[in-house]
């Protein structure tokens, strides 16, 4: 088979790596890919939001199957577009992708189907928002109602911070936001829970805890994710039953009631409050860096899983996992998530100890003239599988020391809640 993967981040390198292990695959194209994907696939420099251009490439190269990595093309309807042209594609359609594309769509779905979530209010302009803030109890969660690459969320401890959040959102910091969403602050612990669905059946696809904040001890600004570990320490059978019955099943029913089906990965961002799950947000794809953390533990051919989803035969497949702990640490460019330099050279890749338990997935990198450069804020993902999280952390830190990239930084405490200090 010839496979095309859309996207250029760490998630897409992890997907490419998993797909490359399948004996069903003859050739992989990454559109546009990164320095890491170029080692196991052919990178194609195209704009993935230019659907016509993408389709022309797929047709010309007789692509059998397309895997969509990031949220933008999904929310913009690439699945509907390609399916109409008889191209097999893995990912949710435009209607289903509103679960991520519009936080207000998801909140209204929660209200209608009695899905536990934080109390909320929606406002269309700054004036209405300021009036709400004046009477609101803090801390307060404020979100832009549009895609913001995991960054359009503020946790405001006082009124002054809330005012600033509203100003930044309506000034277009995260693109055009027609609405703003206010939520009560839930005191608990976050957990990422994943399923894969073929529209009729769904199956568990891992759990994780992501570290979003830039600073040690989960402090500082929100980022796209500084690291993760899997499985989540909160994960257990009793909690999973609550997640399925109260959140996942009602959500899929809500999508079905709209006259469509949910097909693809679904990522539920949860807050666990006294053993009760509350939905914070949905992502309509694998998370990043959760994908990099979870996929190395997959012990079933991922192409077989994708094919079973396309053919609505997921119930016929047994998804197996390697029984190991997985930890991922993201190496970022100095200054991230604010201003940072690009096109910085990275050396010492040949010194890394990479094997069946230790992985490196590229994110914001570019290969040119046999040299690798940083082109993004989150640059590399170091992953280790082990029987213990502390051993995994030790392996990752040894590789980070070997790389010795002085233009970058990483959080040294990823997984601190599961690692004895």
């Amino acid at each position: 088979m010839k496979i095309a993967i859309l996207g250029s981040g760490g998630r897409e390198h992890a997907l490419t790596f998993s797909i490359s292990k399948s004996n069903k695959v003859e050739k992989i194209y990454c559109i546009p890919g990164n320095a890491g994907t170029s080692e196991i696939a052919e990178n194609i420099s195209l704009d993935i939001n230019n659907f016509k251009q993408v389709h022309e490439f797929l047709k010309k190269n007789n692509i059998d199957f397309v895997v969509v990595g990031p949220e933008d093309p999904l929310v913009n309807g690439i699945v509907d577009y390609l399916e109409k042209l008889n191209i097999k594609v893995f990912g949710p359609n435009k209607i289903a992708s509103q679960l991520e594309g519009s936080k207000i769509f998801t909140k209204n779905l929660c209200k209608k189907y009695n899905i536990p979530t934080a109390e909320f209010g929606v406002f269309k302009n700054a004036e209405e928002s300021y009036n709400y803030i004046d009477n609101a109890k803090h801390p307060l969660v404020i979100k832009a109602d549009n895609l913001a690459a995991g960054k359009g969320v503020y946790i405001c401890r006082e009124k002054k911070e809330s005012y600033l959040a509203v100003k930044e959102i309506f000034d277009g910091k995260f693109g055009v936001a027609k609405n703003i969403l206010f939520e009560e602050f839930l005191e608990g612990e976050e957990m990422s829970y994943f399923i894969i669905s073929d529209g009729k059946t769904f199956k568990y696809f891992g759990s994780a805890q992501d570290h979003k904040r830039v600073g040690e001890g989960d402090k500082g600004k929100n980022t796209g994710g500084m690291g993760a570990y899997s499985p989540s320490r909160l994960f257990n059978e009793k909690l999973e039953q609550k997640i399925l019955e109260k959140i996942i099943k009602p959500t899929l029913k809500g999508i079905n009631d709209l006259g469509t089906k949910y097909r693809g990965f679904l990522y539920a961002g949860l807050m666990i409050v006294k053993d009760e799950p509350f939905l914070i947000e949905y992502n309509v794809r694998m998370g990043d860096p959760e994908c990099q953390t979870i996929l190395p533990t997959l012990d079933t051919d991922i192409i077989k899983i994708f094919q079973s989803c396309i053919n609505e035969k997921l119930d016929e497949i047994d998804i197996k996992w390697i029984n190991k702990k997985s930890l991922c640490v993201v190496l970022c460019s100095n200054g991230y998530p604010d201003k940072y330099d690009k096109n910085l050279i990275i050396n010492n890749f040949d010194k890394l100890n990479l094997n069946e338990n230790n992985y490196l997935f590229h994110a914001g990198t570019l290969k040119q003239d046999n040299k690798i450069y940083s082109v993004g804020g989150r640059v590399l993902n170091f992953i280790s599988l082990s029987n213990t999280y502390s051993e995994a952390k030790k392996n990752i830190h040894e590789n980070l020391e070997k790389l010795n990239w002085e233009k970058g930084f990483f959080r040294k405490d990823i997984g601190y809640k599961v690692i004895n200090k």
Side-chain angles (χ1 to χ4, degrees):
M1 292 176 73
K2 289 184 177 178
I3 311 288
I5 299 166
L6 306 190
S8 62
R11 167 183 49 234
E12 287 74 33
H13 188 187
L15 283 164
T16 307
F17 177 78
S18 282
I19 289 167
S20 73
K21 292 196 291 183
S22 172
N23 58 17
K24 289 173 163 280
V25 176
E26 172 201 338
K27 173 94 179 172
I28 308 172
Y29 295 96
C30 285
I31 310 173
N34 59 38
T37 61
S38 71
E39 299 295 321
I40 46 176
E42 186 178 336
N43 286 355
I44 304 295
S45 185
L46 291 177
D47 175 8
I48 57 174
N49 286 304
N50 184 331
F51 297 172
K52 188 171 180 287
Q53 210 177 55
V54 170
H55 172 245
E56 281 167 4
F57 172 81
L58 300 174
K59 202 174 168 190
K60 187 181 169 188
N61 290 276
N62 300 313
I63 301 300
D64 296 290
F65 199 87
V66 181
V67 179
V68 187
E71 60 275 27
D72 274 2
L74 290 169
V75 170
N76 293 335
I78 195 164
V79 170
D80 312 63
Y81 181 86
L82 293 178
E83 281 181 344
K84 275 180 189 165
L85 296 163
N86 296 316
I87 288 176
K88 289 181 178 175
V89 53
F90 177 80
N93 63 23
K94 191 170 186 174
I95 293 172
S97 292
Q98 285 185 85
L99 286 171
E100 180 167 4
S102 169
K103 295 174 181 72
I104 291 165
F105 170 87
T106 301
K107 281 292 186 182
N108 289 334
L109 192 91
C110 289
K111 202 172 182 178
K112 185 175 178 181
Y113 291 89
N114 207 21
I115 296 165
T117 189
E119 291 296 316
F120 68 100
V122 177
F123 301 99
K124 288 181 165 33
N125 57 52
E127 193 183 339
E128 285 178 3
S129 302
Y130 295 144
N131 288 338
Y132 178 83
I133 290 165
D134 288 340
N135 301 298
K137 194 174 95 176
H138 283 73
L140 197 57
V141 180
I142 303 177
K143 297 177 178 179
D145 182 42
N146 57 314
L147 291 176
K151 300 181 197 75
V153 179
Y154 296 80
I155 296 168
C156 305
R157 303 279 165 190
E158 52 189 47
K159 202 185 281 191
K160 187 171 72 177
E161 289 178 36
S162 295
Y163 267 66
L164 179 63
V166 168
K167 185 179 184 310
E168 287 187 350
I169 289 170
F170 281 125
D171 281 354
K173 185 171 180 180
F174 307 103
V176 179
K178 291 178 183 171
N179 296 292
I180 199 167
L181 178 71
F182 288 86
E183 287 183 347
E184 68 166 325
F185 177 76
L186 293 173
E187 196 75 60
E189 191 170 331
E190 284 189 54
M191 171 178 164
S192 305
Y193 182 87
F194 296 84
I195 64 154
I196 191 167
S197 172
D198 66 357
K200 292 199 307 187
T201 311
F202 69 87
K203 293 198 171 186
Y204 168 75
F205 209 80
S207 74
Q209 186 170 55
D210 181 18
H211 294 266
K212 284 275 184 207
R213 301 290 189 148
V214 71
E216 312 275 313
D218 295 323
K219 295 191 171 90
K221 289 186 176 179
N222 252 350
T223 71
M226 296 296 295
Y229 69 86
S230 175
S232 163
R233 73 176 187 144
L234 304 174
F235 185 75
N236 61 61
E237 213 172 291
K238 196 175 170 189
L239 177 62
E240 182 174 35
Q241 279 310 111
K242 290 179 183 176
I243 293 165
L244 295 177
E245 296 304 323
K246 295 183 177 186
I247 295 173
I248 303 294
K249 287 179 182 177
T251 299
L252 296 177
K253 183 184 183 322
I255 296 297
N256 287 345
D257 289 351
L258 291 170
T260 191
K261 291 177 178 179
Y262 194 96
R263 185 184 289 150
F265 290 123
L266 181 62
Y267 156 14
L270 307 170
M271 185 68 78
I272 311 301
V273 183
K274 295 174 184 169
D275 297 323
E276 289 297 325
F278 289 79
L279 181 71
I280 305 171
E281 63 172 357
Y282 272 127
N283 288 169
V284 296
R285 31 82 193 186
M286 279 297 273
D288 180 346
E290 294 97 331
C291 181
Q292 297 91 292
T293 319
I294 291 169
L295 277 191
T297 68
L298 180 64
D299 203 24
T300 302
D301 185 331
I302 199 167
I303 287 296
K304 285 182 182 172
I305 299 171
F306 288 160
Q307 283 182 306
S308 73
C309 282
I310 293 293
N311 299 322
E312 293 190 349
K313 290 183 176 177
L314 186 61
D315 59 337
E316 294 176 14
I317 224 164
D318 185 16
I319 301 177
K320 292 178 180 172
W321 301 91
I322 296 165
N323 185 23
K324 284 192 175 178
K325 317 282 190 195
S326 181
L327 189 78
C328 170
V329 175
V330 181
L331 180 62
C332 300
S333 203
N334 287 337
Y336 176 80
D338 296 315
K339 283 186 180 173
Y340 53 86
D341 291 330
K342 292 184 181 179
N343 300 311
L344 304 169
I345 198 161
I346 313 169
N347 295 310
N348 300 328
F349 286 100
D350 56 330
K351 293 180 180 174
L352 301 180
N353 177 28
L354 304 175
N355 51 42
E356 71 277 7
N357 289 316
N358 294 288
Y359 300 86
L360 176 72
F361 293 132
H362 289 242
T365 63
L366 178 73
K367 191 171 187 179
Q368 231 169 17
D369 302 324
N370 281 329
K371 290 177 181 169
I372 293 173
Y373 298 88
S374 68
V375 291
R378 293 187 298 160
V379 181
L380 296 167
N381 304 266
F382 287 81
I383 297 93
S384 183
L385 309 187
S386 181
N387 293 324
T388 66
Y389 287 118
S390 51
E391 178 68 22
K393 179 182 176 178
K394 181 174 160 283
N395 295 338
I396 288 170
H397 284 212
E398 280 173 7
N399 268 333
L400 279 158
E401 277 175 32
K402 285 172 184 171
L403 189 78
N404 191 29
W405 191 49
E406 291 173 359
K407 305 287 185 183
F409 76 99
F410 61 94
R411 272 185 57 175
K412 296 176 181 67
D413 67 340
I414 298 299
Y416 70 88
K417 288 177 180 172
V418 286
I419 296 171
N420 295 330
K421 288 170 187 171

